[in-house]
Amino acid sequence: MKKKVIGILAAIVIALGLGLVVYNQAVPNEYVPAADEIALHIRLDTEEDIGLLVYDYRADCHEYSGGISNADGSLIKHDSDNIVVWNQEELNNIADAFELSLQFRIITEYVAPNYENVYPDNITKYMEPISREARFGESYFITITGNTANGYKAVWN
């Protein structure tokens, strides 16, 4: 009788474990920002892989620059999802709601990132700026589409 109960419990544990694995594959974990953070989910839907994604941004009257690259020097995949998180302290403790403006640049080839975010013009593709009101504790979704020949576009989702 004890063996039968142990066998049933083991089967239940295995079934729950497999269910959890399947659930995590079907519903990926999404970053949830803290009350003093904002999260940008930047989805690439481009025709080719890119070297770097650079962004110049303004939160209220404060201007910043940043970017995304692969540490191993590989290209960023054309269908990748990227998350950028900023907290209130990094943005100079601005109000809970503020105007967020972004201008993205795609660097079409991989080059080593630099603090000045200055790259050769022949491999730099600028996008039109986008802006919206943002609030801490929220996530925002942006999709970048296009290609090297015709240019790129960033839109809020």
Side-chain angles (χ1 to χ4, degrees), residues 19-72:
L20 183 61
V21 169
V22 170
Y23 175 80
N24 283 334
Q25 294 295 324
V27 181
N29 293 333
E30 184 173 302
Y31 183 83
V32 176
D36 71 336
E37 295 177 328
I38 65 167
L40 293 181
H41 297 259
I42 305 167
R43 167 116 171 99
L44 290 183
D45 188 14
T46 58
E47 292 182 20
E48 62 269 319
D49 297 344
I50 65 170
L52 307 173
L53 178 62
V54 178
Y55 43 85
D56 300 306
Y57 58 105
R58 187 176 55 233
D60 273 348
C61 61
H62 304 284
E63 294 186 5
Y64 308 93
S65 188
I68 299 170
S69 67
N70 286 332
D72 64 1

Side-chain angles (χ1 to χ4, degrees), residues 3-120:
K3 286 184 181 182
K4 188 175 183 179
V5 170
I6 291 173
I8 291 171
L9 288 175
I12 291 171
V13 169
I14 290 170
L16 288 174
L18 288 174
L20 183 61
V21 169
V22 170
Y23 175 80
N24 283 334
Q25 294 295 324
V27 181
N29 293 333
E30 184 173 302
Y31 183 83
V32 176
D36 71 336
E37 295 177 328
I38 65 167
L40 293 181
H41 297 259
I42 305 167
R43 167 116 171 99
L44 290 183
D45 188 14
T46 58
E47 292 182 20
E48 62 269 319
D49 297 344
I50 65 170
L52 307 173
L53 178 62
V54 178
Y55 43 85
D56 300 306
Y57 58 105
R58 187 176 55 233
D60 273 348
C61 61
H62 304 284
E63 294 186 5
Y64 308 93
S65 188
I68 299 170
S69 67
N70 286 332
D72 64 1
S74 64
L75 296 177
I76 301 170
K77 297 295 180 195
H78 67 279
D79 59 353
S80 64
D81 289 311
N82 306 277
I83 299 176
V84 176
V85 178
W86 297 310
N87 67 37
Q88 208 162 8
E89 184 177 342
E90 290 171 318
L91 298 177
N92 287 310
N93 291 310
I94 57 178
D96 287 339
F98 59 95
E99 185 68 19
L100 176 62
S101 300
L102 295 146
Q103 182 174 30
F104 290 98
R105 290 181 271 156
I106 286 186
I107 312 305
T108 58
E109 301 172 13
Y110 181 83
V111 293
N114 61 67
Y115 288 108
E116 296 82 25
N117 277 331
V118 176
Y119 301 97

